[in-house]
Amino acid sequence: MEEELEELKRGLELSKLVVVTGLRRYGKTSLILTALNELKADYVFMDCRLLLFGMLSISDIAFLLERGLSQKSWFRVIAESIEGIEVRVLGIRFRRRDFNTLVNVLERLEGKVLVLDEAQELRRCRCRFDALIAYLYDHIPVRIVVSGSHVGTLYRFLRVDDPSAPLYGRPFYKVELKPLSRERAREFLVKGFEQEGDEPPGKLIEEALDLFDGVIGWLTYFGYAYTKLKIRELGTVLDMAAKLAYQELNHALQVTGVGKPRYAAILKILAERGATSWSEIQRFIEAKLGKIPKNTLNHMLKNLINMGMIKKTAEGYMITDPVLAYAVKEYL
Ligand SMILES: Nc1ncnc2c1ncn2[C@@H]1O[C@H](COP(=O)(O)OP(=O)(O)O)[C@@H](O)[C@H]1O
Ligand SMILES: [Mg+2]
């Protein structure tokens, strides 16, 4: 991903805010960490995937920041002078995980990079985190990298196009990750097998390319299963991958609450039929679960698109990730 890496590095040089998007396992986190290491930048990484479901409090956010800063030697140096921070032998601790401490720390990140990985999760925060990002953007010389797998949801959280939103009008740099092309995916796998000292299994690699659609995380998973776990059956790898995808799906569907059976039904028909038209989806859901108003179905489809789970194509709606499609067919 040399091009994407150069682009991200350029973004970090040109802009205070960089947004990295791409679906799950497209390589966002790896790319961000690689770029920051190559730039030898001091950064703090907030892994927003650790925020479980439900509304978030300041204390949850402060916990992420505390965790991200804990192992950072550059922070120990400034921590002494920040009110409310206790420096310990192993890491640092916030005396209170409250708004003041959070802001006190964020304000001291001058010259550093703040990474908000999977930032769409922050939309559930009671504290209007978008306003806090805008405040840092305007007043503190800190660079901010925001990433998100649920691309539509991320942009709805950032609201960069909404004149009434805190981040409106702030220039930012966009890096969009796509799946690897078939050629690059093949090259990636062959190189990986060679590095592991294994003869690249040509035929199996072609089958894996059919199955995993250029998603670098799944390709890596396949290579790992083959070289480290000595698994030679692609079906076995697919089953293992699908279990992971299924867990994540369940997590994502938690937020849909009582709507869950309907969301599940939409995914089910898309998994079984591939590309499906709006009216077919409606017919299927109504046959299974009773009447569904047009607006409700539209809203649900839009949510699934915002989460990156499905996409709309000329042929109809489809599940984006082939592994997820398999998981839905088998387990949902
Ligand atoms: N450029 C890369 N080179 C080698 N492996 C990669 C690369 N990008 C991603 N991977 C592998 O794919 C997996 C998923 O990537 P990750 O960065 O976690 O994706 P995302 O953050 O987009 O969900 C990683 O654990 C890593 O093993
Ligand atoms: Mg990630």
Short mmCIF file of all heavy atoms in Angstrom, two decimals, residues 23-30 32 45 47 49 117-118 147 149, ligand 2:
data_model
loop_
_atom_site.label_atom_id
_atom_site.label_comp_id
_atom_site.label_asym_id
_atom_site.label_seq_id
_atom_site.Cartn_x
_atom_site.Cartn_y
_atom_site.Cartn_z
N LEU A 23 -13.63 -0.11 4.61
CA LEU A 23 -14.38 -1.05 5.44
C LEU A 23 -13.45 -1.82 6.37
O LEU A 23 -12.23 -1.71 6.28
CB LEU A 23 -15.16 -2.01 4.55
CG LEU A 23 -16.14 -1.35 3.59
CD1 LEU A 23 -16.99 -2.40 2.91
CD2 LEU A 23 -17.01 -0.33 4.29
N ARG A 24 -14.05 -2.55 7.25
CA ARG A 24 -13.33 -3.39 8.19
C ARG A 24 -12.31 -4.26 7.44
O ARG A 24 -12.62 -4.81 6.38
CB ARG A 24 -14.37 -4.27 8.83
CG ARG A 24 -14.37 -4.72 10.21
CD ARG A 24 -13.85 -4.10 11.34
NE ARG A 24 -13.38 -5.22 12.18
CZ ARG A 24 -12.13 -5.44 12.46
NH1 ARG A 24 -11.18 -4.63 12.03
NH2 ARG A 24 -11.80 -6.47 13.20
N ARG A 25 -11.08 -4.33 7.98
CA ARG A 25 -10.01 -5.19 7.44
C ARG A 25 -9.45 -4.71 6.10
O ARG A 25 -8.83 -5.47 5.39
CB ARG A 25 -10.46 -6.64 7.28
CG ARG A 25 -10.75 -7.29 8.60
CD ARG A 25 -10.95 -8.78 8.49
NE ARG A 25 -11.24 -9.32 9.81
CZ ARG A 25 -12.43 -9.25 10.37
NH1 ARG A 25 -13.43 -8.70 9.73
NH2 ARG A 25 -12.60 -9.73 11.57
N TYR A 26 -9.70 -3.47 5.75
CA TYR A 26 -9.07 -2.95 4.54
C TYR A 26 -7.65 -2.44 4.83
O TYR A 26 -6.95 -2.05 3.92
CB TYR A 26 -9.90 -1.79 3.94
CG TYR A 26 -11.08 -2.22 3.10
CD1 TYR A 26 -11.58 -3.52 3.15
CD2 TYR A 26 -11.69 -1.33 2.22
CE1 TYR A 26 -12.67 -3.90 2.37
CE2 TYR A 26 -12.76 -1.72 1.43
CZ TYR A 26 -13.25 -3.00 1.51
OH TYR A 26 -14.32 -3.36 0.73
N GLY A 27 -7.28 -2.39 6.11
CA GLY A 27 -5.91 -2.02 6.45
C GLY A 27 -5.71 -0.62 6.99
O GLY A 27 -4.60 -0.11 6.98
N LYS A 28 -6.78 0.00 7.54
CA LYS A 28 -6.68 1.38 8.02
C LYS A 28 -5.71 1.50 9.20
O LYS A 28 -4.81 2.33 9.19
CB LYS A 28 -8.06 1.90 8.47
CG LYS A 28 -9.09 1.94 7.38
CD LYS A 28 -10.44 2.35 7.91
CE LYS A 28 -11.03 1.37 8.91
NZ LYS A 28 -11.25 0.01 8.42
N THR A 29 -5.94 0.69 10.23
CA THR A 29 -5.13 0.81 11.44
C THR A 29 -3.66 0.56 11.14
O THR A 29 -2.78 1.32 11.57
CB THR A 29 -5.63 -0.16 12.52
OG1 THR A 29 -7.03 0.09 12.74
CG2 THR A 29 -4.90 0.02 13.83
N SER A 30 -3.40 -0.48 10.35
CA SER A 30 -2.01 -0.78 9.99
C SER A 30 -1.39 0.39 9.25
O SER A 30 -0.24 0.78 9.52
CB SER A 30 -1.94 -2.02 9.09
OG SER A 30 -2.65 -3.08 9.66
N ILE A 32 -2.19 3.60 9.32
CA ILE A 32 -1.99 4.77 10.19
C ILE A 32 -0.75 4.58 11.06
O ILE A 32 0.11 5.45 11.15
CB ILE A 32 -3.24 5.01 11.08
CG1 ILE A 32 -4.43 5.42 10.21
CG2 ILE A 32 -2.97 6.06 12.14
CD1 ILE A 32 -5.77 5.41 10.93
N PHE A 45 -2.97 6.85 20.52
CA PHE A 45 -3.92 6.07 19.74
C PHE A 45 -5.13 5.73 20.61
O PHE A 45 -5.00 5.04 21.62
CB PHE A 45 -3.21 4.78 19.29
CG PHE A 45 -4.04 3.90 18.39
CD1 PHE A 45 -3.99 4.07 17.01
CD2 PHE A 45 -4.83 2.89 18.91
CE1 PHE A 45 -4.73 3.26 16.17
CE2 PHE A 45 -5.58 2.07 18.07
CZ PHE A 45 -5.53 2.26 16.70
N ASP A 47 -8.38 3.69 20.73
CA ASP A 47 -9.04 2.59 20.04
C ASP A 47 -10.52 2.58 20.41
O ASP A 47 -10.91 1.97 21.41
CB ASP A 47 -8.35 1.28 20.45
CG ASP A 47 -8.96 0.08 19.74
OD1 ASP A 47 -9.92 0.27 18.98
OD2 ASP A 47 -8.45 -1.03 19.95
N ARG A 49 -12.91 1.09 19.28
CA ARG A 49 -13.62 -0.18 19.24
C ARG A 49 -13.81 -0.76 20.64
O ARG A 49 -14.62 -1.64 20.86
CB ARG A 49 -12.85 -1.18 18.38
CG ARG A 49 -13.31 -1.16 16.94
CD ARG A 49 -12.99 -2.44 16.27
NE ARG A 49 -11.56 -2.67 16.28
CZ ARG A 49 -10.99 -3.83 15.96
NH1 ARG A 49 -11.73 -4.85 15.64
NH2 ARG A 49 -9.69 -3.96 16.00
N ASP A 117 -9.30 5.97 16.33
CA ASP A 117 -9.51 4.84 15.44
C ASP A 117 -10.94 4.32 15.61
O ASP A 117 -11.39 4.10 16.73
CB ASP A 117 -8.48 3.74 15.77
CG ASP A 117 -8.37 2.72 14.65
OD1 ASP A 117 -8.41 3.10 13.47
OD2 ASP A 117 -8.25 1.51 14.95
N GLU A 118 -11.62 4.10 14.51
CA GLU A 118 -13.04 3.72 14.49
C GLU A 118 -13.88 4.77 15.23
O GLU A 118 -14.68 4.48 16.12
CB GLU A 118 -13.25 2.33 15.10
CG GLU A 118 -12.55 1.20 14.34
CD GLU A 118 -13.11 0.96 12.93
OE1 GLU A 118 -14.15 1.54 12.57
OE2 GLU A 118 -12.48 0.19 12.18
N SER A 147 -10.28 7.59 11.90
CA SER A 147 -10.56 6.52 10.95
C SER A 147 -11.93 5.94 11.21
O SER A 147 -12.47 6.09 12.31
CB SER A 147 -9.51 5.40 11.05
OG SER A 147 -9.91 4.47 12.03
N SER A 149 -14.66 2.51 9.83
CA SER A 149 -15.12 1.44 8.93
C SER A 149 -16.54 1.68 8.48
O SER A 149 -16.94 1.29 7.40
CB SER A 149 -15.13 0.09 9.65
OG SER A 149 -13.86 -0.25 10.08
MG MG B 2 -8.72 -0.96 12.50
#
